[in-house]
Amino acid sequence: MRKQKDALLLFLIYLAAAFSVLLLIGIIVYVFAKGIGVINWGFLTQVKSTLKDTEGIAGNILNTIYIVVLTLLIATPIGIGSAIYLNEYAKKGPFVRMVEFTTQTLSGIPSILFGLFGMIFFGSVMELGYSILTGALTLTLMILPLIIGNTREALKTVPDSYRQGAIGIGATKWYMIRTILLPSAMPGIITGVILAIGRIVGESAALLFTAGSGYLLPNSMKGFFSKILESGGTLTIELYLSMAKAKYDVAFGIAVVLLVIVFFINLLTKVLIGKWSNYGKNKD
């Protein structure tokens, strides 16, 4: 009887795993079948124009890169620094519990509420308006819990003997963190950052209220740097607008591009984690 129950549970586990794989394959096949015909060099390198009768997402790709880079430049040092403080310096007490509760609460707030807050605070109060910078600051608030949580969990996996050994030979605490803890925890930290990139790339609700829907490319080097203060719609925003305008072929084409980006993000995660794991082994 026990063997039969084990066999039944094993069958259900395999069935659940197979369903997940088939679901993913089904989504990928359906999206590619609908959108692959739209993908060409012009679609990826031009911007949409009614006068020229062209459809393109080059401006949206650039805006997505702007948003990702700017958000990570702000959120990564704050998130990793906060995690190091909470895990290595802060004494357990009401303050730490309050920070942990706040972080958990932030991670559960719907993205559209972040968008409303960003529009009012960053856009109106700070007078940044609809701009890429407003969107990046808003997304920073959204991904901070993810980076902090992953970094803290990664630091907790480092054995205490590493800390005690470094302090025992006379190393300062910061030197120990910088040369021992962070390299050992780097695979987990990288995972958190790459997951944050995935959330940035896939976000639309918050950016619709903060970054706007601009799609033009900068026409000069000066414009390239000043564009962060201008409206900029990402790929997800353009996908939403294309669906709203019943341009389903364009929407599915953008969906194909997003799927490819997500695939490379996951591939990059595996490669970087593998390299840092090998680095840690060689260092040991």
Side-chain angles (χ1 to χ4, degrees), residues 14 29 53 69 78 97 105 141 143 162 177 186:
Y14 276 108
V29 170
D53 192 25
V69 173
I78 296 175
R97 288 195 295 270
T105 304
L141 303 180
I143 68 170
Y162 285 26
I177 292 172
M186 195 55 67

Side-chain angles (χ1 to χ4, degrees), residues 202-281:
E203 184 54 47
S204 58
L207 293 177
L208 193 61
F209 287 99
T210 55
S213 58
Y215 56 86
L216 298 177
L217 291 168
N219 52 17
S220 65
M221 185 58 67
K222 182 180 179 181
F224 182 83
F225 291 103
S226 64
K227 189 171 175 60
I228 63 172
L229 297 176
E230 300 174 2
S231 172
T234 60
L235 287 169
T236 51
I237 296 297
E238 188 60 29
L239 190 154
Y240 165 77
L241 294 175
S242 297
M243 289 295 292
K245 298 173 183 176
K247 296 181 178 179
Y248 301 121
D249 54 342
V250 176
F252 276 104
I254 297 172
V256 171
V257 175
L258 285 171
L259 280 177
V260 172
I261 291 174
V262 170
F263 171 77
F264 278 108
I265 287 174
N266 283 278
L267 184 63
L268 179 63
T269 304
K270 291 183 177 295
V271 171
L272 290 177
I273 290 176
K275 285 188 176 182
W276 274 101
S277 298
N278 293 332
Y279 172 78
K281 292 177 181 178

Side-chain angles (χ1 to χ4, degrees), residues 43-123:
F43 184 72
L44 298 175
T45 57
Q46 296 176 350
V47 297
K48 61 182 178 181
S49 172
T50 305
L51 295 176
K52 297 179 181 179
D53 192 25
T54 58
E55 289 287 350
I57 57 172
N60 303 109
I61 293 175
L62 182 61
N63 292 336
T64 303
I65 294 173
Y66 271 116
I67 290 283
V68 169
V69 173
L70 197 56
T71 303
L72 289 182
L73 285 176
I74 301 171
T76 302
I78 296 175
I80 295 177
S82 300
I84 292 173
Y85 169 75
L86 291 172
N87 212 66
E88 304 298 328
Y89 287 97
K91 295 180 180 180
K92 301 299 180 183
F95 176 72
V96 173
R97 288 195 295 270
M98 182 184 69
V99 173
E100 291 175 343
F101 175 77
T102 303
T103 303
Q104 294 170 359
T105 304
L106 279 175
S107 63
I109 294 177
S111 59
I112 195 167
L113 295 183
F114 282 104
L116 288 172
F117 172 81
M119 179 181 67
I120 294 171
F121 183 75
F122 298 121

